[in-house]
Amino acid sequence: MRRGDGTFGEKVASSNANKKTNFNVAKGPTVNVQIGVEVKILATAMIKQIDRVINDLFKQAREFERVTSDAISVAVVGVNHSSKYTSHEGDRTYDKPGSGPAPSKEASKAISELKSNATQYFDEFLIVPFEATNRSPYPFSWVDKRATTNKYSAVCQRTLTEYDSRF
């Protein structure tokens, strides 16, 4: 069974839920999926990976639906827009641009592919543009923090409203 990156549902009666400090929702096994969330990060070589990512998103959405037919499904996909990126494979590193295009050159096509081929599988589909180089000191930033925060908040609000109507 595919495991979603996050699920919310009724707790298995024979299990214990673990409450973590500073968290409002306990963790533990669930009987069903009421809200299922899948997260993907596209950092580099995005076009080379896009078919696999879309297929993974599709399979996860179907799994949420298989477990609970009226589950609310949410996808969050981070797309890198950095003009530089370093990939690490064991002891080897690959700089982009150089060994391939910079993420900034592939981001718009990756987003277009996601919008055309993956959004329809989810009740909510959020693309979050970011910049990360994967180079020390490992800077990270949102392309537009205010817009990202607003879109994320809107997805959360719509999901909660839908939850109230379905469950």
Side-chain angles (χ1 to χ4, degrees):
M1 177 171 148
R2 293 184 58 85
R3 174 199 57 80
D5 290 311
T7 58
F8 182 83
E10 182 182 352
K11 180 181 86 62
V12 173
S14 60
S15 70
N16 292 322
N18 299 314
K19 186 86 164 53
K20 301 278 185 188
T21 304
N22 298 323
F23 286 85
N24 292 323
V25 178
K27 283 178 69 173
T30 58
V31 172
N32 54 16
V33 176
Q34 293 170 331
I35 300 173
V37 181
E38 180 71 359
V39 178
K40 293 289 185 195
I41 307 296
L42 289 167
T44 189
M46 292 181 259
I47 302 310
K48 197 160 91 173
Q49 300 179 64
I50 198 71
D51 289 338
R52 177 192 56 78
V53 169
I54 290 169
N55 190 44
D56 287 353
L57 288 164
F58 168 76
K59 286 179 180 178
Q60 188 57 59
R62 295 293 73 89
E63 185 62 25
F64 291 145
E65 188 177 78
R66 185 192 70 75
V67 174
T68 307
S69 62
D70 57 351
I72 300 167
S73 58
V74 179
V76 179
V77 181
V79 178
N80 195 0
H81 286 68
S82 179
S83 61
K84 299 175 188 170
Y85 192 84
T86 299
S87 297
H88 301 274
E89 291 180 17
D91 294 337
R92 299 183 306 184
T93 60
Y94 303 93
D95 288 329
K96 302 188 179 175
S99 62
S104 60
K105 299 293 184 194
E106 296 186 314
S108 63
K109 183 171 183 187
I111 289 169
S112 177
E113 289 288 323
L114 289 164
K115 286 180 177 178
S116 296
N117 299 303
T119 58
Q120 68 270 24
Y121 305 130
F122 292 86
D123 294 302
E124 292 289 344
F125 198 99
L126 177 63
I127 296 172
V128 290
F130 69 93
E131 291 184 3
T133 64
N134 205 25
R135 296 177 181 177
S136 184
Y138 304 100
F140 176 91
S141 64
W142 298 111
V143 170
D144 183 339
K145 186 176 181 179
R146 181 183 199 101
T148 299
T149 300
N150 288 342
K151 288 177 184 177
Y152 179 78
S153 295
V155 164
C156 289
Q157 284 180 259
R158 286 192 301 269
T159 300
L160 292 173
T161 299
E162 188 62 26
Y163 179 83
D164 284 343
S165 70
R166 288 191 199 184
F167 301 101

